[in-house]
Amino acid sequence: MKVYKFGGASVRNADGVRNLANIVAGEDDLFIIVSAMGKTTNALERVFGHMQKGEKEEANNEIKQVQEYHAEIIDELWGEHTDLNEVTLLFGQLRNIVNDIVYRKSDAELWYDTIVAFGELISTTIISKYLNHIGTRNRWLDMRTTLLTNQRHKDANVNIKASTMRLRSALENTGVGVFVGQGFIGGAPDGTTTTLGREGSDYSAAVVAHILNAESMSVWKDVDGVLNADPKIFKDAIKIDALNYLDTIELAYSGAQIIHPKTIKPLQNKNIPLFVRPFGDKTKPGTVISGDAPHVTMPIMIYKRDQVLLIIRSKDFSFVMEEQFAVIFSLLERFRIKTHLINNSAVDLGLCVDASWHIDSLIEALEAEGFEVEKNDNVGLLTIRNYNDDLYDRYVRKQQHIVRQVNPESVRVVLRSAQF
Ligand code: ASP
Ligand code: MG
């Protein structure tokens, strides 16, 4: 069994879906994991945003646009106006949720997950139907009932043990060798929908590969493989041919958009190689991520946007010590805020965290514990691994940074506004 994962950019239009069909043609022992088409997840996040604010009309308008976008792809794939019943039903369910639910702030993550999951439900329904339509027999699986996660919305982890039976039995006695499942989504013990974190489809695919003891996993992307920098930000990005698991985890945690950070562990545990391959040309080698690749030595640049820098001080100017750390980090955990850089001095603690809906609640809670908090919105976190003098000069010395951390292997800076 092989596992192929197709991201949203790869299936953003009818050509992309046809290309997917080309890539999977002839395979008879394959599990395909697909993300939402194009920017659908972002659109559904906006739907949720409107729901949060009670803006039903705007939410419905947004859904309408998402539906038209998919309808166009369907019509183009079938070569004539076509209604897929299952897709219409999914949009109906989505509308019912948005129109009928009494929204409470404490359930933000639950409704976020319930709504954004439709992106993957819709994309996989279209793709599975299309593959059957052109003769690639396959079975659609609902990952909400196949991958069991913990009870943690918006950033769930898959319970591999509990999912093994479910997944394996879903593949039994089906008479087909090709399966299509949603990336990014799962089901919580209480039966509600969970998501695994943005870009989490890679992680879904890795879990499926792990459970099914796949010979390999491939991620089909719109780049030639893993690059040493985001080409949209840094010119001269080049491809890395081979990476080991450890380096990949390091890079992903620093915010490199290679692969979701949670992807590697399930593969590493079973020594399953991961290929990052260009969607446009299946003869190109891409990048291979495996246990025995050498340690990477070329410079790697990672820029993480949408960060907030919090500077936390004790009101009485006492040191920020262990027990205070414990209070601070348990509050971060309670408000589900992810920290990407920690910088402590004698009197304060700097935290670079993801922008989140709960930041202000966190700050209130910290203040109630006797801390003073300074909040810097709209900052970015730049990490350069294996930096050299030239890169240091260009990207660190000449940028206005608020925090700088320098190690022999890497330099990290928090920037107010990056001008690369
Ligand atoms: N569709 C989800 C997202 O855009 C998951 C993924 O693409 O992996 O974040
Ligand atoms: Mg995506």
Side-chain angles (χ1 to χ4, degrees):
M1 164 80 66
K2 285 190 278 194
V3 175
Y4 282 0
K5 181 256 171 174
F6 295 89
S10 311
V11 291
R12 68 175 189 279
N13 53 27
D15 275 347
V17 177
R18 284 192 208 104
N19 195 29
L20 174 152
N22 253 334
I23 290 174
V24 308
E27 301 285 348
D28 57 4
D29 196 13
L30 181 67
F31 201 111
I32 308 171
I33 288 282
V34 189
S35 305
M37 291 176 163
K39 301 255 183 263
T40 301
T41 306
N42 293 357
L44 293 171
E45 283 190 342
R46 289 196 293 275
V47 170
F48 173 69
H50 289 309
M51 181 176 168
Q52 275 183 307
K53 292 187 223 135
E55 300 165 352
K56 290 208 169 143
E57 200 183 318
E58 287 86 345
N60 282 290
N61 282 338
E62 193 76 58
I63 294 174
K64 189 163 162 257
Q65 285 177 35
V66 174
Q67 189 160 16
E68 284 167 3
Y69 163 67
H70 286 88
E72 247 175 64
I73 295 177
I74 295 169
D75 289 355
E76 204 184 321
L77 286 172
W78 267 262
E80 60 185 347
H81 176 70
T82 303
D83 282 318
L84 299 179
N85 244 329
E86 288 80 351
V87 173
T88 312
L89 276 173
L90 286 168
F91 276 105
Q93 290 169 12
L94 176 58
R95 282 201 179 86
N96 287 344
I97 291 165
V98 167
N99 293 324
D100 301 345
I101 285 315
V102 182
Y103 173 75
R104 281 199 315 256
K105 196 179 169 195
S106 54
D107 291 332
E109 281 82 6
L110 164 69
W111 294 118
Y112 172 93
D113 283 357
T114 310
I115 288 171
V116 299
F118 278 88
E120 272 71 10
L121 291 167
I122 293 161
S123 70
T124 51
T125 302
I126 296 173
I127 286 165
S128 168
K129 293 235 162 268
Y130 178 67
L131 290 175
N132 275 324
H133 175 67
I134 60 165
T136 300
R137 291 189 57 226
N138 71 92
R139 167 72 59 104
W140 180 88
L141 296 178
D142 187 338
M143 303 306 268
R144 294 175 300 183
T145 52
T146 315
L147 287 189
L148 189 77
T149 70
N150 56 351
Q151 189 69 45
R152 182 182 176 91
H153 289 287
K154 205 164 179 269
D155 184 26
N157 284 319
V158 178
N159 179 337
I160 291 190
K161 215 166 148 209
S163 303
T164 299
M165 271 266 291
R166 292 176 180 222
L167 180 61
R168 289 193 183 156
S169 60
L171 306 196
E172 271 167 20
N173 305 321
T174 53
V176 299
V178 177
F179 300 88
V180 178
Q182 306 79 42
F184 183 52
I185 72 174
D190 72 352
T192 54
T193 304
T194 46
T195 65
L196 311 177
R198 285 302 307 264
E199 306 306 323
S201 298
D202 300 332
Y203 170 49
S204 306
V207 167
V208 168
H210 176 106
I211 292 175
L212 301 178
N213 295 315
E215 66 187 72
S216 68
M217 166 175 156
S218 297
V219 173
W220 299 87
K221 291 186 83 119
D222 56 353
V223 285
D224 274 350
V226 177
L227 307 182
N228 73 332
D230 181 346
K232 287 180 215 124
I233 307 178
F234 305 103
K235 293 182 276 352
D236 317 324
I238 51 172
K239 186 179 77 107
I240 307 171
D241 295 332
L243 270 169
N244 63 37
Y245 292 128
L246 223 72
D247 281 339
T248 310
I249 291 176
E250 285 274 357
L251 297 179
Y253 270 105
S254 316
Q257 305 269 312
I258 310 175
I259 212 89
H260 193 281
K262 292 195 277 197
T263 311
I264 298 303
K265 198 83 195 125
L267 298 176
Q268 186 180 19
N269 286 352
K270 292 208 173 163
N271 218 1
I272 300 170
L274 167 61
F275 298 96
V276 180
R277 302 172 67 177
F279 186 62
D281 186 350
K282 66 174 174 178
T283 62
K284 282 194 181 163
T287 297
V288 56
I289 297 168
S290 64
D292 43 20
H295 177 54
V296 64
T297 51
M298 73 165 84
I300 297 183
M301 317 264 303
I302 300 152
Y303 185 62
K304 214 168 164 48
R305 299 170 197 278
D306 298 326
Q307 300 292 295
V308 176
L309 179 71
L310 299 175
I311 300 184
I312 303 167
R313 297 185 187 88
S314 290
K315 275 199 178 123
D316 56 5
F317 286 104
S318 64
F319 295 114
V320 179
M321 295 288 279
E322 282 78 4
E323 58 192 271
Q324 293 177 315
F325 277 21
V327 172
I328 293 168
F329 282 98
S330 67
L331 286 174
L332 285 164
E333 165 64 20
R334 165 143 38 108
F335 290 102
R336 310 271 302 277
I337 291 173
K338 277 217 167 107
T339 310
H340 297 289
L341 174 130
I342 300 169
N343 196 56
N344 63 312
S345 78
V347 291
D348 64 28
L349 177 69
L351 299 174
C352 186
V353 302
D354 278 339
S356 141
W357 310 314
H358 303 303
I359 289 251
D360 292 326
S361 310
L362 167 76
I363 293 176
E364 269 171 39
L366 285 166
E367 284 169 350
E369 291 286 344
F371 296 105
E372 229 165 51
V373 184
E374 178 191 320
K375 175 182 164 200
N376 299 271
D377 279 314
N378 289 322
V379 301
L381 175 61
L382 173 69
T383 304
I384 313 178
R385 294 183 63 82
N386 306 321
Y387 64 93
N388 53 34
D389 288 346
D390 174 47
L391 290 173
Y392 191 90
D393 204 51
R394 202 152 20 126
Y395 293 108
V396 181
R397 214 188 308 277
K398 291 192 180 143
Q399 296 283 332
Q400 268 201 347
H401 48 259
I402 328 175
V403 173
R404 174 176 53 182
Q405 269 182 0
V406 187
N407 297 312
E409 269 215 336
S410 70
V411 52
R412 310 188 78 194
V413 283
V414 177
L415 304 165
R416 217 177 274 286
S417 64
Q419 287 143 354
F420 300 133

